[in-house]
Short mmCIF file of all heavy atoms in Angstrom, two decimals:
data_model
loop_
_atom_site.label_atom_id
_atom_site.label_comp_id
_atom_site.label_asym_id
_atom_site.label_seq_id
_atom_site.Cartn_x
_atom_site.Cartn_y
_atom_site.Cartn_z
N MET A 1 -6.60 -11.15 -8.50
CA MET A 1 -7.02 -12.35 -9.19
C MET A 1 -6.23 -12.60 -10.48
O MET A 1 -5.85 -13.73 -10.75
CB MET A 1 -8.52 -12.25 -9.47
CG MET A 1 -9.11 -13.49 -10.02
SD MET A 1 -8.94 -14.79 -8.78
CE MET A 1 -9.58 -16.15 -9.68
N PRO A 2 -5.94 -11.56 -11.29
CA PRO A 2 -5.20 -11.83 -12.53
C PRO A 2 -3.86 -12.49 -12.28
O PRO A 2 -3.43 -13.33 -13.07
CB PRO A 2 -5.03 -10.44 -13.15
CG PRO A 2 -6.17 -9.65 -12.62
CD PRO A 2 -6.38 -10.17 -11.21
N PHE A 3 -3.18 -12.13 -11.16
CA PHE A 3 -1.89 -12.76 -10.89
C PHE A 3 -2.04 -14.27 -10.76
O PHE A 3 -1.22 -15.03 -11.25
CB PHE A 3 -1.29 -12.21 -9.59
CG PHE A 3 -0.62 -10.88 -9.76
CD1 PHE A 3 -1.26 -9.71 -9.40
CD2 PHE A 3 0.66 -10.80 -10.28
CE1 PHE A 3 -0.64 -8.49 -9.54
CE2 PHE A 3 1.29 -9.58 -10.43
CZ PHE A 3 0.63 -8.41 -10.05
N ALA A 4 -3.07 -14.72 -10.08
CA ALA A 4 -3.29 -16.15 -9.87
C ALA A 4 -3.56 -16.86 -11.20
O ALA A 4 -3.19 -18.01 -11.38
CB ALA A 4 -4.44 -16.38 -8.90
N LEU A 5 -4.22 -16.19 -12.09
CA LEU A 5 -4.53 -16.81 -13.38
C LEU A 5 -3.31 -16.89 -14.30
O LEU A 5 -3.09 -17.91 -14.94
CB LEU A 5 -5.65 -16.04 -14.08
CG LEU A 5 -7.01 -16.08 -13.39
CD1 LEU A 5 -8.00 -15.18 -14.11
CD2 LEU A 5 -7.53 -17.49 -13.30
N TYR A 6 -2.53 -15.81 -14.36
CA TYR A 6 -1.40 -15.76 -15.28
C TYR A 6 -0.16 -16.44 -14.74
O TYR A 6 0.63 -16.99 -15.50
CB TYR A 6 -1.06 -14.32 -15.65
CG TYR A 6 -2.14 -13.66 -16.49
CD1 TYR A 6 -2.79 -12.52 -16.04
CD2 TYR A 6 -2.51 -14.17 -17.72
CE1 TYR A 6 -3.77 -11.91 -16.80
CE2 TYR A 6 -3.51 -13.58 -18.48
CZ TYR A 6 -4.13 -12.44 -18.01
OH TYR A 6 -5.11 -11.85 -18.75
N GLY A 7 0.06 -16.37 -13.45
CA GLY A 7 1.25 -16.96 -12.86
C GLY A 7 2.50 -16.15 -13.18
O GLY A 7 2.43 -15.07 -13.78
N GLY A 8 3.65 -16.67 -12.77
CA GLY A 8 4.90 -15.97 -13.00
C GLY A 8 5.01 -14.74 -12.12
O GLY A 8 4.41 -14.64 -11.06
N THR A 9 5.80 -13.80 -12.58
CA THR A 9 5.99 -12.54 -11.88
C THR A 9 5.54 -11.42 -12.81
O THR A 9 5.87 -11.44 -14.00
CB THR A 9 7.46 -12.34 -11.49
OG1 THR A 9 7.86 -13.43 -10.67
CG2 THR A 9 7.68 -11.04 -10.75
N ALA A 10 4.80 -10.48 -12.28
CA ALA A 10 4.30 -9.37 -13.09
C ALA A 10 4.22 -8.11 -12.26
O ALA A 10 4.08 -8.16 -11.04
CB ALA A 10 2.92 -9.71 -13.66
N LEU A 11 4.28 -6.99 -12.93
CA LEU A 11 4.07 -5.69 -12.31
C LEU A 11 2.62 -5.33 -12.54
O LEU A 11 2.15 -5.29 -13.68
CB LEU A 11 5.00 -4.65 -12.94
CG LEU A 11 4.83 -3.22 -12.46
CD1 LEU A 11 5.17 -3.11 -10.98
CD2 LEU A 11 5.70 -2.29 -13.29
N GLY A 12 1.89 -5.11 -11.45
CA GLY A 12 0.48 -4.74 -11.55
C GLY A 12 0.31 -3.25 -11.41
O GLY A 12 0.82 -2.65 -10.47
N THR A 13 -0.37 -2.62 -12.36
CA THR A 13 -0.65 -1.20 -12.29
C THR A 13 -2.14 -0.98 -12.50
O THR A 13 -2.90 -1.93 -12.63
CB THR A 13 0.16 -0.42 -13.36
OG1 THR A 13 -0.12 -0.95 -14.65
CG2 THR A 13 1.66 -0.52 -13.08
N GLY A 14 -2.54 0.28 -12.56
CA GLY A 14 -3.96 0.59 -12.63
C GLY A 14 -4.59 0.23 -11.30
O GLY A 14 -4.09 0.60 -10.25
N HIS A 15 -5.65 -0.53 -11.35
CA HIS A 15 -6.27 -1.04 -10.11
C HIS A 15 -5.79 -2.46 -9.85
O HIS A 15 -6.44 -3.23 -9.17
CB HIS A 15 -7.79 -1.01 -10.23
CG HIS A 15 -8.35 0.37 -10.18
ND1 HIS A 15 -9.68 0.60 -10.12
CD2 HIS A 15 -7.77 1.58 -10.18
CE1 HIS A 15 -9.90 1.91 -10.09
NE2 HIS A 15 -8.75 2.51 -10.13
N GLY A 16 -4.63 -2.80 -10.42
CA GLY A 16 -4.08 -4.14 -10.28
C GLY A 16 -4.44 -5.04 -11.44
O GLY A 16 -3.99 -6.17 -11.52
N GLU A 17 -5.25 -4.53 -12.36
CA GLU A 17 -5.72 -5.34 -13.47
C GLU A 17 -4.80 -5.27 -14.69
O GLU A 17 -4.90 -6.10 -15.60
CB GLU A 17 -7.14 -4.92 -13.88
CG GLU A 17 -7.24 -3.69 -14.75
CD GLU A 17 -7.01 -2.36 -14.03
OE1 GLU A 17 -6.68 -2.36 -12.83
OE2 GLU A 17 -7.13 -1.33 -14.69
N VAL A 18 -3.88 -4.31 -14.74
CA VAL A 18 -2.96 -4.18 -15.85
C VAL A 18 -1.66 -4.87 -15.45
O VAL A 18 -0.94 -4.38 -14.57
CB VAL A 18 -2.70 -2.69 -16.20
CG1 VAL A 18 -1.73 -2.59 -17.38
CG2 VAL A 18 -4.00 -1.98 -16.50
N LEU A 19 -1.39 -6.01 -16.06
CA LEU A 19 -0.22 -6.81 -15.68
C LEU A 19 0.82 -6.80 -16.79
O LEU A 19 0.49 -7.00 -17.95
CB LEU A 19 -0.63 -8.26 -15.41
CG LEU A 19 -1.60 -8.47 -14.25
CD1 LEU A 19 -1.91 -9.95 -14.10
CD2 LEU A 19 -1.03 -7.92 -12.96
N SER A 20 2.06 -6.57 -16.40
CA SER A 20 3.19 -6.62 -17.33
C SER A 20 4.16 -7.66 -16.80
O SER A 20 4.69 -7.50 -15.69
CB SER A 20 3.89 -5.27 -17.41
OG SER A 20 2.99 -4.27 -17.84
N PRO A 21 4.40 -8.74 -17.56
CA PRO A 21 5.35 -9.76 -17.10
C PRO A 21 6.74 -9.14 -16.90
O PRO A 21 7.15 -8.27 -17.66
CB PRO A 21 5.39 -10.78 -18.24
CG PRO A 21 4.17 -10.51 -19.04
CD PRO A 21 3.84 -9.06 -18.87
N VAL A 22 7.42 -9.60 -15.85
CA VAL A 22 8.78 -9.12 -15.58
C VAL A 22 9.69 -10.30 -15.26
O VAL A 22 9.23 -11.35 -14.82
CB VAL A 22 8.81 -8.09 -14.42
CG1 VAL A 22 8.02 -6.85 -14.77
CG2 VAL A 22 8.33 -8.69 -13.13
N LEU A 23 10.96 -10.08 -15.47
CA LEU A 23 11.96 -11.10 -15.18
C LEU A 23 12.23 -11.16 -13.69
O LEU A 23 12.51 -10.15 -13.06
CB LEU A 23 13.26 -10.78 -15.93
CG LEU A 23 14.44 -11.71 -15.64
CD1 LEU A 23 14.13 -13.12 -16.13
CD2 LEU A 23 15.70 -11.17 -16.31
N ALA A 24 12.11 -12.34 -13.12
CA ALA A 24 12.48 -12.57 -11.72
C ALA A 24 13.41 -13.78 -11.73
O ALA A 24 13.04 -14.84 -12.23
CB ALA A 24 11.24 -12.85 -10.88
N ARG A 25 14.59 -13.60 -11.17
CA ARG A 25 15.60 -14.65 -11.29
C ARG A 25 15.60 -15.69 -10.18
O ARG A 25 16.34 -16.64 -10.24
CB ARG A 25 16.97 -14.00 -11.33
CG ARG A 25 17.11 -13.16 -12.56
CD ARG A 25 18.48 -12.62 -12.68
NE ARG A 25 18.50 -11.79 -13.89
CZ ARG A 25 19.57 -11.36 -14.46
NH1 ARG A 25 20.73 -11.64 -13.96
NH2 ARG A 25 19.49 -10.62 -15.53
N THR A 26 14.80 -15.49 -9.17
CA THR A 26 14.87 -16.42 -8.05
C THR A 26 13.49 -16.61 -7.43
O THR A 26 12.61 -15.78 -7.58
CB THR A 26 15.87 -15.90 -6.98
OG1 THR A 26 16.06 -16.90 -6.00
CG2 THR A 26 15.36 -14.64 -6.32
N GLN A 27 13.34 -17.71 -6.76
CA GLN A 27 12.11 -17.98 -6.03
C GLN A 27 12.10 -17.15 -4.75
O GLN A 27 13.12 -17.00 -4.09
CB GLN A 27 12.02 -19.47 -5.70
CG GLN A 27 10.70 -19.87 -5.10
CD GLN A 27 10.62 -21.36 -4.91
OE1 GLN A 27 11.27 -21.91 -4.03
NE2 GLN A 27 9.84 -22.01 -5.75
N ARG A 28 10.94 -16.61 -4.40
CA ARG A 28 10.78 -15.82 -3.18
C ARG A 28 9.89 -16.57 -2.21
O ARG A 28 8.99 -17.32 -2.62
CB ARG A 28 10.15 -14.46 -3.48
CG ARG A 28 10.83 -13.66 -4.54
CD ARG A 28 12.21 -13.21 -4.13
NE ARG A 28 12.80 -12.46 -5.25
CZ ARG A 28 13.95 -11.87 -5.21
NH1 ARG A 28 14.68 -11.93 -4.12
NH2 ARG A 28 14.41 -11.23 -6.25
N HIS A 29 10.11 -16.35 -0.94
CA HIS A 29 9.32 -16.99 0.10
C HIS A 29 8.57 -15.92 0.88
O HIS A 29 9.14 -14.91 1.27
CB HIS A 29 10.21 -17.83 1.01
CG HIS A 29 10.79 -18.99 0.28
ND1 HIS A 29 10.17 -20.22 0.23
CD2 HIS A 29 11.90 -19.10 -0.48
CE1 HIS A 29 10.88 -21.04 -0.52
NE2 HIS A 29 11.94 -20.38 -0.96
N TRP A 30 7.29 -16.18 1.08
CA TRP A 30 6.38 -15.19 1.65
C TRP A 30 5.68 -15.75 2.89
O TRP A 30 5.45 -16.95 2.99
CB TRP A 30 5.31 -14.81 0.63
CG TRP A 30 5.88 -14.21 -0.60
CD1 TRP A 30 6.28 -14.86 -1.73
CD2 TRP A 30 6.15 -12.83 -0.82
NE1 TRP A 30 6.77 -13.96 -2.65
CE2 TRP A 30 6.70 -12.70 -2.12
CE3 TRP A 30 5.96 -11.68 -0.05
CZ2 TRP A 30 7.07 -11.48 -2.65
CZ3 TRP A 30 6.33 -10.46 -0.59
CH2 TRP A 30 6.88 -10.37 -1.88
N VAL A 31 5.31 -14.85 3.77
CA VAL A 31 4.47 -15.18 4.92
C VAL A 31 3.20 -14.36 4.74
O VAL A 31 3.25 -13.15 4.48
CB VAL A 31 5.17 -14.83 6.24
CG1 VAL A 31 4.25 -15.11 7.42
CG2 VAL A 31 6.48 -15.61 6.37
N ILE A 32 2.07 -15.02 4.87
CA ILE A 32 0.78 -14.38 4.63
C ILE A 32 -0.01 -14.41 5.93
O ILE A 32 -0.28 -15.49 6.48
CB ILE A 32 0.01 -15.11 3.52
CG1 ILE A 32 0.88 -15.15 2.25
CG2 ILE A 32 -1.33 -14.44 3.24
CD1 ILE A 32 0.49 -16.21 1.26
N ALA A 33 -0.37 -13.22 6.43
CA ALA A 33 -1.14 -13.09 7.67
C ALA A 33 -2.59 -12.77 7.29
O ALA A 33 -2.88 -11.71 6.76
CB ALA A 33 -0.57 -11.98 8.54
N LEU A 34 -3.48 -13.73 7.54
CA LEU A 34 -4.90 -13.59 7.19
C LEU A 34 -5.67 -13.06 8.39
O LEU A 34 -5.58 -13.60 9.49
CB LEU A 34 -5.46 -14.94 6.75
CG LEU A 34 -4.74 -15.54 5.54
CD1 LEU A 34 -4.92 -17.03 5.49
CD2 LEU A 34 -5.25 -14.90 4.27
N ALA A 35 -6.44 -12.02 8.15
CA ALA A 35 -7.22 -11.38 9.22
C ALA A 35 -8.61 -11.99 9.30
O ALA A 35 -9.05 -12.69 8.38
CB ALA A 35 -7.33 -9.89 8.95
N ASP A 36 -9.29 -11.70 10.39
CA ASP A 36 -10.71 -12.04 10.50
C ASP A 36 -11.49 -11.04 9.67
O ASP A 36 -11.22 -9.84 9.72
CB ASP A 36 -11.18 -11.96 11.95
CG ASP A 36 -10.73 -13.16 12.76
OD1 ASP A 36 -10.77 -14.28 12.21
OD2 ASP A 36 -10.35 -12.98 13.92
#
């Protein structure tokens, strides 16, 4: 959830709640497979 709120690119550590912004030079394209 924090990623959606902050936006950009970040490194998530801990349980994913500790976010550190990082430099990303290009847009990435993703495929998301949602399960039942």
Side-chain angles (χ1 to χ4, degrees):
M1 187 64 184
F3 280 100
L5 294 175
Y6 292 120
T9 301
L11 176 64
T13 57
H15 288 188
E17 80 285 4
V18 180
L19 298 180
S20 301
V22 297
L23 175 65
R25 296 185 181 194
T26 188
Q27 187 174 73
R28 307 293 179 177
H29 293 269
W30 299 89
V31 177
I32 304 160
L34 301 156
D36 283 320

